[in-house]
């Protein structure tokens, strides 16, 4: 019994450390170059905050070694290219910017979120999939490979929210 408990705890620890979560929705591509598309590679939290001042932002958290991130990448790039004039799409490499990953409490990737604003208390305001805003990222996150239509729907809500 003790071995089973120890094995379970160790397994949970390894999965949360490795992080990469896969879900099957038919996305399949192994393009490793985020810089070739329309999303901006994030290097600082200030870059995110400055962008949020003017636009709603879809932020994708991932890493080069993550196979699920490879499958999510073309979806994110397609959205970035389609929404160039309406919103921003940003990519955070959690290995290269661990401080940003920590700030957003990232434990598994790919992990996406749509940010609408920063409130007067300095907290991010997120758009949920049903069109509500929240400061609780857990209620607004997309974990694993996420279908384009779900991300676009949420991004549209965010754009509408900003333009009123």
């Amino acid at each position: 019994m003790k071995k089973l408990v120890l094995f379970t705890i160790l397994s949970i620890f390894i999965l949360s450390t490795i992080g990469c979560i896969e879900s099957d929705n038919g996305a399949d591509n192994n393009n490793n170059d985020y810089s070739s598309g329309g999303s901006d590679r994030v290097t600082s939290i200030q870059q995110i905050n400055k962008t949020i001042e003017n636009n709603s932002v879809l932020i994708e958290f991932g890493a080069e070694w993550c196979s699920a991130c490879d499958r999510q990448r073309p979806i994110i790039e397609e959205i970035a290219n389609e929404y160039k004039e309406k919103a921003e799409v940003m990519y955070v490499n959690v290995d290269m910017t661990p401080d940003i990953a920590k700030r957003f409490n990232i434990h598994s990737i790919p992990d996406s979120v749509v940010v609408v604003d920063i409130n007067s208390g300095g907290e991010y305001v997120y758009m949920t999939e049903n069109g509500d805003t929240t400061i609780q990222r857990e209620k607004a996150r997309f974990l694993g490979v996420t279908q384009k239509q779900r991300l676009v729907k949420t991004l549209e809500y965010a754009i509408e929210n900003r333009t009123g």
Side-chain angles (χ1 to χ4, degrees), residues 16-77:
S16 68
T17 303
I18 292 174
C20 196
I21 291 180
E22 298 190 32
S23 66
D24 189 10
N25 72 352
D28 213 4
N29 191 315
N30 288 325
N31 179 4
N32 286 324
D33 186 11
Y34 261 93
S35 62
S36 66
S39 67
D40 294 327
R41 207 177 262 274
V42 176
T43 57
S44 72
I45 198 74
Q46 292 80 13
Q47 183 181 359
I48 294 172
N49 294 346
K50 180 106 174 112
T51 303
I52 294 169
E53 289 176 12
N54 301 312
N55 282 310
S56 296
V57 180
L58 168 61
I59 305 173
E60 172 72 20
F61 298 90
E64 298 301 323
W65 51 264
C66 172
S67 62
C69 299
D70 286 344
R71 293 200 330 264
Q72 184 71 41
R73 188 167 292 126
I75 296 167
I76 296 299
E77 288 304 326

Side-chain angles (χ1 to χ4, degrees), residues 104-105 111-114 125-143 150 154:
F104 282 88
N105 201 25
D111 189 339
S112 306
V113 68
V114 176
V125 179
Y126 302 100
M127 182 58 63
T128 66
E129 194 170 358
N130 64 3
D132 295 330
T133 56
T134 181
I135 59 171
Q136 297 174 339
R137 194 179 83 78
E138 301 78 32
K139 292 184 177 183
R141 74 193 305 184
F142 295 92
L143 197 53
R150 290 178 64 205
T154 306

